[in-house]
Amino acid sequence: MSFNVLIVDDSSAMRAVIKKVIGLSGFKMDSCLEAGNGREAMELLSEQWVDVIISDINMPEVNGLEFLELLRENETLKEIPVIMITTEASEQRMQGAFDRGAKGFIKKPFLPEEIKRVLYEVIGVGSDGQYEEDTRDADEFDF
Amino acid sequence: MGNMKKTQEMLMNSIFDVFEKMFFVFLEPCDEEMKYDMITSIEFAGSVKGDIRAYLSTGIANFMVENMLGLGANEITDKTREDCAKEALNMIAGSFVNKLDASSVFDLSIPSYEKKSGRFGMASPGKLNLVFDSDGLFLGISMNMVDGGK
């Protein structure tokens, strides 16, 4: 199974590094979209579905936290898991991102293994790069 | 004096961490004056506020681009050098303010960049100036900080 990824960061160098690291980790990408800020990301998302978003926080025009809020307001887009990847990672900032729906957090600078670990955890992919099936019984869920 | 030394240590550790992890560049502090070809700047504001500037030679910027992006020498452009330099400073500042006060939220400005040549050295009143060498490639960092930010 392969995935569509969206990387949102105002640094083209950082977008290139993240894309390269994801590719080298064995994570199977069908496509990898890039956006320079939250506004560009929303425009891309209006045209194409992605399975996971990796976003910086500190960006011009629409920053990462504002982007999370825009996603949360959209009935369809709010289902896409978002991983924040950022330099200024105070506990308050991290909590602010999680409160707005982020599913994972990576601090810059990072080792390639960190991106791989968080990506795999958030999207539910095993170490072999394959999707892990949810094998829980129905009665384990509290409906 | 003790605080200044501790602040310097935090800043240096942030610089080493960023350059080693993201650019595979190993820096050694040095006392020499260096020639630079570009400057990036960033401001931070939180429980304290200030700014950090990085002075880079073309040589170290090229090395950073080659290592970070896997580009060959003939593929490196002014834009890629600028991008790497700004991102390096962004990460240094983020790491530094987190070490300075992990309980406070800091705002970081978008880094600015200027292609400008000059010489950078250690002595500058009221500022923390650092010079680093990596096999003959040089990086300069200056930081200015005041208490009582936002």
Side-chain angles (χ1 to χ4, degrees):
Chain A
M1 186 173 181
S2 56
F3 301 89
N4 298 321
V5 179
L6 170 60
I7 301 170
V8 190
D9 196 307
D10 57 328
S11 164
S12 61
M14 187 51 66
R15 295 197 304 266
V17 167
I18 294 170
K19 182 178 176 180
K20 186 176 162 185
V21 165
I22 293 173
L24 289 173
S25 75
F27 187 82
K28 292 178 174 53
M29 281 191 290
D30 202 21
S31 69
C32 185
L33 305 180
E34 297 182 34
N37 57 59
R39 180 188 57 76
E40 287 180 18
M42 290 303 289
E43 286 173 7
L44 281 173
L45 290 169
S46 69
E47 294 172 7
Q48 188 167 339
W49 176 260
V50 298
D51 300 294
V52 64
I53 298 170
I54 299 174
S55 176
D56 190 10
I57 289 183
N58 199 23
M59 298 182 288
E61 294 191 52
V62 176
N63 67 36
L65 297 180
E66 291 164 342
F67 176 46
L68 281 171
E69 286 172 358
L70 289 173
L71 289 172
R72 200 160 62 161
E73 288 168 8
N74 185 299
E75 280 302 311
T76 310
L77 298 180
K78 70 180 183 181
E79 300 302 325
I80 304 173
V82 182
I83 299 168
M84 308 310 291
I85 181 164
T86 187
T87 55
E88 199 276 296
S90 63
E91 286 191 20
Q92 280 178 274
R93 190 79 85 186
M94 284 172 64
Q95 192 56 53
F98 286 126
D99 288 345
R100 287 168 174 82
K103 299 296 183 200
F105 208 101
I106 299 168
K107 297 182 191 181
K108 294 179 190 176
F110 52 82
L111 292 169
E113 295 78 44
E114 291 167 41
I115 285 201
K116 180 181 175 180
R117 179 182 57 79
V118 175
L119 187 59
Y120 280 34
E121 274 174 14
V122 164
I123 207 163
V125 175
S127 58
D128 59 355
Q130 298 300 312
Y131 186 70
E132 286 186 329
E133 192 182 333
D134 193 335
T135 56
R136 288 174 292 176
D137 290 332
D139 57 9
E140 290 183 52
F141 292 88
D142 182 20
F143 290 109
Chain B
M1 184 71 88
N3 268 345
M4 188 65 161
K5 193 175 175 187
K6 197 175 172 190
T7 301
Q8 179 175 320
E9 197 179 308
M10 284 190 277
L11 181 59
M12 286 177 73
N13 285 337
S14 296
I15 294 164
F16 293 145
D17 201 28
V18 166
F19 270 76
E20 287 170 20
K21 274 187 183 171
M22 300 303 298
F23 302 105
F24 312 114
V25 173
F26 295 86
L27 299 167
E28 292 285 341
C30 76
D31 296 331
E32 294 177 36
E33 194 179 69
M34 59 163 281
K35 182 180 171 300
Y36 63 84
D37 303 298
M38 62 199 80
I39 308 171
T40 62
S41 308
I42 194 167
E43 293 171 1
F44 57 88
S47 51
V48 292
K49 65 179 182 181
D51 61 83
I52 303 174
R53 290 189 170 197
Y55 300 78
L56 299 95
S57 62
T58 301
I60 201 167
N62 284 349
F63 195 46
M64 288 160 65
V65 173
E66 283 173 24
N67 289 351
M68 187 184 190
L69 301 179
L71 296 181
N74 58 352
E75 297 174 284
I76 298 171
T77 62
D78 282 345
K79 186 68 178 70
T80 53
R81 269 191 291 267
E82 175 181 341
D83 230 10
C84 270
K86 284 160 68 174
E87 188 59 32
L89 187 60
N90 191 35
M91 289 189 281
I92 288 167
S95 175
F96 171 67
V97 297
N98 205 238
K99 285 177 170 45
L100 205 55
D101 187 353
S103 64
S104 177
V105 174
F106 281 85
D107 289 327
L108 296 177
S109 68
I110 305 292
S112 64
Y113 173 88
E114 193 182 356
K115 196 173 177 184
K116 183 179 175 181
S117 296
R119 298 198 72 84
F120 176 81
M122 297 292 288
S124 185
K127 281 194 177 186
L128 177 58
N129 279 13
L130 303 167
V131 178
F132 301 91
D133 166 39
S134 176
D135 289 335
L137 304 176
F138 292 93
L139 168 75
I141 297 284
S142 77
M143 188 187 66
N144 188 33
M145 196 164 74
V146 295
D147 282 330
K150 59 178 185 177

